[in-house]
């Protein structure tokens, strides 16, 4: 892969500048890649119908070839191009949650290249709620395949700087519309089965989905997880070891910190609600207060920032597993899981 010069172009998130969008669209149409903002995280966009462009995504990210991509569209009208069959339940979900952080798994049409789906017979589709993303899809006149714009294995990027840190020299253009609103990725919901199955918890909660379509299942079994290949891999992991305080108790947190210090480790700590009494002065403390949505929004950015401090261990406060807390805990557990020998890769 030859080095390219990566330009970062600022763009108004509410009223995207036409010139920047036209330039980005022509890069996409030429089969190259552009990083762009969505409401969840930054995406690494390519023409979703061009196999050569799709191949570049895997190379640039260092992504395992068995991990399929999400196709991004600018209107539900574009769904029939990609989905061979759209169950009633999917129509209702589209009405309720698009544009927004919900990805639907549907049976694919022959227009969708195998490289977009990693050979599966289903395709992942979503309509993002970001004016820049929508303008780019419209100008490129094609669905955009876009994984999160991080190097495989690192936390997803929520700012243009994160994308630049990971992909500098590998892509020609990053559209910078500031930090993303949701901060973690879309919910991936398989609607090819009844009841639908949440393959990846994300920005739309299970409770919200169930309010629209009734009972949905969580992908608990290995067999189900296999249907969303990305969830098999270790993800979102900083280089430092992440220790997750599952019970979100101050005593547990303090014990984890003390243990790491006893072993001579350099320790950082990410707090949400806890206010532990005696934290040793030597440790780096970051706090994201507020609601669980605020924690979700700042999480990846905080992990990246802490990881920039050359720490050995980052002790992270957990949250209750309800609402958006399910997605937060999913990402934190994966960040905290030890690398497996043969699959240190991720989305
Ligand atoms: O919020 C998001 O979803 C972001 C933004 C850029 O839209 N994108 C994103 O893409 O997170 P990525 O590639 O990092 O994650 C896509 C996930 C993976 O877990 C992948 O395995 C799953 O979607 N997926 C894609 N196609 C699938 C399919 N046909 N069946 C099951 N899972 C699929
Ligand atoms: Mg990803």
């Amino acid at each position: 892969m030859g080095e390219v010069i990566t330009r970062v172009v600022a763009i108004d998130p509410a009223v995207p500048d036409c010139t920047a969008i036209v330039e980005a669209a022509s890069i996409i149409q030429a089969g190259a890649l552009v990083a762009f903002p969505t409401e969840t995280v930054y995406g690494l966009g390519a023409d979703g119908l061009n196999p050569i462009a799709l191949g570049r995504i895997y190379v640039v990210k260092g992504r395992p070839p068995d991990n399929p991509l999400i196709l991004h569209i600018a209107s539900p009208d574009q769904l029939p191009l990609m989905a061979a069959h759209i169950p009633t339940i999917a129509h209702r979900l589209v009405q309720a949650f698009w544009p927004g952080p919900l990805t639907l798994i549907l049976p694919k049409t022959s227009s969708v290249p195998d490289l977009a789906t990693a050979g599966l017979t289903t395709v992942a589709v979503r309509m993002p709620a970001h004016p820049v993303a929508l303008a780019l899809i419209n100008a490129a006149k094609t669905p955009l395949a876009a994984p999160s714009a991080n190097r495989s294995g690192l936390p997803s990027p929520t700012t243009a700087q994160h994308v630049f840190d990971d992909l500098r020299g590998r892509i020609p253009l990053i559209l910078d519309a500031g930090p993303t609103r949701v901060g973690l990725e879309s919910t991936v919901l398989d609607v090819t089965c009844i009841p639908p199955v949440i393959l990846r918890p994300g920005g739309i909660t299970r409770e919200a989905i169930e309010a629209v379509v009734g009972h949905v299942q969580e992908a608990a079994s290995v067999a189900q997880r296999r249907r969303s290949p990305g969830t098999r891999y270790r993800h979102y992991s900083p280089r430092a070891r992440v220790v997750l305080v599952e019970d979100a108790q101050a005593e547990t947190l303090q014990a984890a910190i003390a243990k790491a210090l006893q072993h001579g480790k350099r320790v950082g700590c990410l707090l949400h609600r806890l206010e532990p009494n005696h934290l040793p002065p030597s440790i780096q403390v970051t706090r994201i207060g507020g609601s669980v949505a605020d924690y979700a929004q700042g999480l990846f950015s905080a992990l990246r920032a802490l990881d920039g401090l050359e720490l050995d261990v980052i002790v992270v406060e957990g949250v209750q597993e309800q609402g958006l807390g399910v997605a937060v805990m999913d990402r934190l557990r994966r960040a905290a899981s030890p690398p497996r020998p043969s699959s240190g890769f991720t989305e």
Side-chain angles (χ1 to χ4, degrees), residues 5 14 25 29 34 39 49 66 86 88 115 131 149 164 166 173 175 186 194 214 227-228 238 251 264 312 341:
I5 291 173
Q29 286 172 342
V34 174
E39 80 282 29
L49 304 180
D66 67 349
I86 305 166
T88 315
L115 266 178
F164 190 74
D166 281 14
L173 182 63
L175 296 176
S186 63
I194 300 170
R227 302 218 305 259
S228 197
E251 298 71 41
D312 303 305

Side-chain angles (χ1 to χ4, degrees), residues 122-156:
T122 54
V123 61
V125 189
R126 91 173 184 102
M127 177 179 172
H130 197 296
V132 172
L134 296 173
L136 181 58
I137 299 162
N138 279 326
K141 298 190 175 63
T142 184
L144 290 189
S148 48
N150 52 292
R151 289 284 277 273
S152 267
L154 294 179
S156 289

